Amino acid sequence: HDLLLLTRLDRQPNPVLTEGSLDRILYDMEPQLRILAGNRKVILDIEEKAITRLNTDQIKQVVLNLFQNAVQHTDPSQGEIQVSLVKKDKGVELSVKDNGPGISEDHLPHIFERFFRVDSSRTRKYGGAGLGLSITKSIVEAHGGQIWVDSQEGLGCAFHIWLPAYSKQLNPEPGTNIE
């Protein structure tokens, strides 16, 4: 399924984007995220009115991919996952931070590559083909955004996504004349 999705993203790199509230999407996803987290502590720190141009289904996929990675890499009872959303640098920044083992500096340059897996024993336990972060990166870039990770071994990691803000002045309807 992931390979087919990635192939579709390669063929259609420009999704149909509409004005949307990323904070509303996160609030709507909250029950699902809490179920996925199990006994892990989930913290939502969401700034409201985070408006951007997005494809709702694809952004939900991004959030689920990052959150599921955090779940897989945190302790089932002591794990903590924080999802935050702030307006930043003429855009919105979504972060998913965990208190897992982190990612080694050797692996960091490769984590967004197709089929790359940090720990093959963990992959056998949870499944996966090493495509989730590659899919996430493709979706974010198709939205005109950026993705990066901060990680410290033993302290966890934080994945950050920046998407440009939406404003009618900055993003006029086609055919609108701006002076």
Side-chain angles (χ1 to χ4, degrees), residues 25-46 63-64 67-68 70-71 74-76 79-84 96:
I25 290 171
L26 292 173
Y27 284 130
D28 289 347
M29 293 181 73
E30 182 179 0
Q32 182 180 10
L33 298 178
R34 292 196 183 278
I35 290 169
L36 285 171
N39 292 325
R40 294 163 187 85
K41 183 177 180 180
V42 176
I43 301 165
L44 295 180
D45 183 14
I46 299 172
V63 172
L64 286 173
F67 195 85
Q68 186 64 38
V71 167
T74 54
D75 183 83
E80 185 174 300
I81 304 168
Q82 180 176 3
V83 178
S84 62
V96 178

Side-chain angles (χ1 to χ4, degrees), residues 42-123:
V42 176
I43 301 165
L44 295 180
D45 183 14
I46 299 172
E47 189 173 331
E48 295 189 6
K49 298 183 182 173
I51 308 299
T52 186
R53 289 183 57 79
L54 51 79
N55 177 298
T56 301
D57 291 337
Q58 288 185 352
I59 291 300
K60 284 181 177 181
Q61 179 74 47
V62 165
V63 172
L64 286 173
N65 284 352
L66 295 178
F67 195 85
Q68 186 64 38
N69 275 355
V71 167
Q72 290 177 0
H73 295 282
T74 54
D75 183 83
S77 59
Q78 301 296 314
E80 185 174 300
I81 304 168
Q82 180 176 3
V83 178
S84 62
L85 179 66
V86 297
K87 296 174 199 167
K88 187 175 182 181
D89 300 326
K90 296 182 182 178
V92 295
E93 185 176 309
L94 168 69
S95 299
V96 178
K97 181 179 180 181
D98 67 56
N99 67 342
I103 302 168
S104 76
E105 284 190 36
D106 293 343
H107 294 305
L108 281 174
H110 307 287
I111 59 170
F112 296 108
E113 294 175 5
R114 294 176 186 190
F115 305 110
F116 183 79
R117 295 181 293 198
V118 172
D119 180 352
S120 60
S121 65
R122 185 179 302 267
T123 302

Side-chain angles (χ1 to χ4, degrees), residues 62 135-147 161-163:
V62 165
I135 289 169
T136 298
K137 182 179 182 195
S138 292
I139 292 171
V140 169
E141 289 177 348
H143 280 71
Q146 300 170 348
I147 185 169
I161 293 168
W162 177 88
L163 297 172

